Amino acid sequence: MEVVVKNLNKPINQYTKPEDFLSPSLEISPERSQRAYLNILEDMQDERKVVDDQRVAIFNILEDVQTAKEQVEMEKARISAAVQNLTDGLASFDETGKVLAVNHKMAELTGLPIEGFYLEEFAKLFKGVVRALMKLNGRESIFILPK
């Protein structure tokens, strides 16, 4: 679209309407208008395709994440079942003393509840041996008490 700007003969702040800047004979042919409209439609369709492709990609990623999450949950359940069914007592702590795993047999052998099983309480039962073992083992400590 061609726009003809009028010759500005007065200060800019005296021009207040768009018509003050444009020539009164602004004509657009129907063919040009139709072509511009079709170009806009084509651009919109291209953008829509890009958005649709992105939506499909996001849904694929979400499905992959959900599948991976389900696999992790199944593996956690499998490991938890194995730990709980050990005939020996098992407790695992990280370097800060947070319980990573404890089974029912360990709770039974120590008399400590499985919920709220803390390293401090466990260490009291074994008079500092636990702290020495943790320092030897490094980052993570696993304790097994035979039945």
Side-chain angles (χ1 to χ4, degrees):
M1 173 201 292
E2 290 183 24
V3 177
V4 179
V5 179
K6 286 183 179 179
N7 223 350
L8 302 176
N9 295 326
K10 48 188 177 179
I12 192 80
N13 62 355
Q14 291 181 5
Y15 296 94
T16 57
K17 301 178 284 202
E19 300 84 44
D20 291 339
F21 293 97
L22 303 176
S23 166
S25 62
L26 181 64
E27 293 181 27
I28 301 174
S29 71
E31 294 83 22
R32 265 183 96 179
S33 176
Q34 179 70 20
R35 208 170 37 244
Y37 174 74
L38 292 175
N39 287 340
I40 290 170
L41 281 180
E42 187 178 316
D43 290 346
M44 288 173 60
Q45 288 171 345
D46 291 345
E47 289 297 320
R48 176 63 185 215
K49 177 152 179 28
V50 168
V51 169
D52 288 344
D53 290 347
Q54 290 172 341
R55 183 178 294 126
V56 168
I58 289 170
F59 282 128
N60 288 338
I61 290 169
L62 289 174
E63 284 177 351
D64 292 346
V65 167
Q66 183 62 33
T67 300
K69 183 179 176 185
E70 290 167 2
Q71 289 172 344
V72 166
E73 291 300 319
M74 286 181 0
E75 188 65 18
K76 274 177 62 176
R78 189 180 69 74
I79 291 170
S80 178
V83 167
Q84 292 305 323
N85 290 314
L86 288 173
T87 57
D88 293 334
L90 179 129
S92 175
F93 305 93
D94 71 6
E95 68 275 2
T96 67
K98 179 182 171 204
V99 175
L100 299 175
V102 64
N103 68 359
H104 292 288
K105 190 65 175 178
M106 180 62 85
E108 180 185 314
L109 291 169
T110 61
L112 298 171
I114 210 162
E115 296 81 20
F117 195 98
Y118 295 104
L119 177 62
E120 290 77 22
E121 297 299 319
F122 186 74
K124 284 179 193 175
L125 293 173
F126 296 95
K127 310 245 191 288
V129 173
V130 170
R131 292 285 181 202
L133 285 174
M134 284 189 75
K135 286 180 183 170
L136 284 174
N137 197 8
R139 303 188 75 190
E140 183 180 305
S141 297
I142 298 175
F143 303 97
I144 299 175
L145 298 179
K147 62 176 183 169

